[in-house]
Structures are given as C-alpha cells and as structure tokens.
C-alpha cells in the first residue's frame, strides 16, 4: 500500500531514477530517440506512476549481442536481472526484460528490444506516493526527462544522446 500523498517527492524520485537509467541505456545504443512517455497515472492508495516509452535506431545483427551484453551488465548494476530472449521472424531481434514477464508488486518493469529497424525501451515507474493531478499540472515528466529538451506541441520530440563510441 502506498502512503497518502502529502507531497509528490517519492513519485518524482521514482521518475528521475528510472529515466536517468533509461537515458544511460539510450546512450549505449546512440542515435536519436523519440519520447512517448505518459502523464502520471493513479496507482495504489494515493500513488502515482508513469509509463515510459522510447523509440530509437535499429542495431545491425552483428552488433546486437555485444550491445545486449552492455545493457544487461548496466541493468544488473541497477539491481535488475533481465531475461534475454529472441523475438520476431521477419526481422529477428533481441529482447531484455525485467521481470521476465508481468510487473513487480510495485508495478515496475523495464524492457529493451532491438532489431535492424528500431530499438525500443518500455518501462513503468514503481508506484510511489504522489498527487497525480499536481504532477500532471506541473508537467513533471515532460519537464524533467534527462537529456530531453521540451519542444512546442507542434514539433516532434526527440532525445539526442551522445553517439556510441566504438
């Protein structure tokens, strides 16, 4: 059970922690990334969470295993134990997911998929004390995404991480 939201610092911390780790994963891949994150959503008893979705460049098959090894090592350093699995038939790729399926009791999950056409990261922050209405009014996620510069609604949104170094 989540404590009643007297302020939203726990939810904000969950957002910053997760999106900082996601930005690090994006930098491992390099290239430009589109941000498709949600507003905060109610969860638990007085809690808030966000769904994080990023779409980035594809990874050639020859580079995919080494990249997955790098991402997996970083995620294990965060305390996540991802499960690796192939996916797709026409454009086979590689998936890392923690937990292996579903979500943890606090609502958290993270998934990285990559094939020759695109890389995606999908995640949900853990449910944490927070006032959903307040967080959405202040557009907390929109204004506090590491490596992201908010753009007008009529413009596309993109993260431009530092390119991967060989």
């Amino acid at each position: 059970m989540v404590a009643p939201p007297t302020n939203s610092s726990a939810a904000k911390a969950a957002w910053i922690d997760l999106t900082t780790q996601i930005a690090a994963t994006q930098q491992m891949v390099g290239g430009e990334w589109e941000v498709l994150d949600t507003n905060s959503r109610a969860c638990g008893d007085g809690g808030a969470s966000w769904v994080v979705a990023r779409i980035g460049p594809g990874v050639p098959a020859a580079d995919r295993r080494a990249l997955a090894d790098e991402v997996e090592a970083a995620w294990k350093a965060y305390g996540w134990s991802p499960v690796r699995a192939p996916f797709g038939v026409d454009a086979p790729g590689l998936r890392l997911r923690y937990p292996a399926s579903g979500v943890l009791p606090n609502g958290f999950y993270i998934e990285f998929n990559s094939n020759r056409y695109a890389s995606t990261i999908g995640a949900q922050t853990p449910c944490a004390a927070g006032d959903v209405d307040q967080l959405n009014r202040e557009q907390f996620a929109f204004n506090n995404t590491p490596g992201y510069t908010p753009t007008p609604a009529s413009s596309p949104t993109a993260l431009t991480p530092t390119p991967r170094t060989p």
Side-chain angles (χ1 to χ4, degrees):
M1 175 154 95
V2 176
T6 54
N7 66 49
S8 294
S9 62
K12 289 177 178 181
W15 170 263
I16 294 296
D17 289 346
L18 180 59
T19 57
T20 298
Q21 294 159 341
I22 286 173
T25 301
Q26 290 172 252
Q27 287 191 348
M28 290 175 207
V29 178
E32 293 184 14
W33 287 78
E34 187 170 354
V35 176
L36 302 169
D37 305 340
T38 67
N39 282 330
S40 64
R41 305 176 320 164
C43 60
D45 183 17
S49 69
W50 286 269
V51 172
V52 180
R54 310 289 167 84
I55 301 173
V59 176
D63 299 337
R64 206 170 300 130
R65 184 171 306 281
L67 175 61
D69 291 344
E70 185 180 1
V71 171
E72 185 174 8
W75 286 13
K76 284 182 176 179
Y78 302 144
W80 308 333
S81 298
V83 172
R84 188 182 296 214
F87 73 92
V89 176
D90 294 336
L94 194 56
R95 169 179 296 130
L96 292 173
R97 191 171 199 295
Y98 176 74
S101 64
V103 299
L104 296 178
N106 64 5
F108 174 78
Y109 82 91
I110 187 163
E111 182 173 297
F112 172 73
N113 296 288
S114 187
N115 67 15
R116 67 181 178 179
Y117 298 113
S119 295
T120 62
I121 301 172
Q124 182 169 276
T125 64
C127 186
D131 182 326
V132 170
D133 293 332
Q134 172 196 342
L135 291 164
N136 290 338
R137 269 192 308 277
E138 66 185 80
Q139 296 185 6
F140 181 79
F142 182 75
N143 291 314
N144 292 281
T145 297
Y148 172 72
T149 303
T151 56
S154 61
S155 300
T157 58
L159 282 170
T160 309
T162 306
R164 183 177 181 168
T165 54

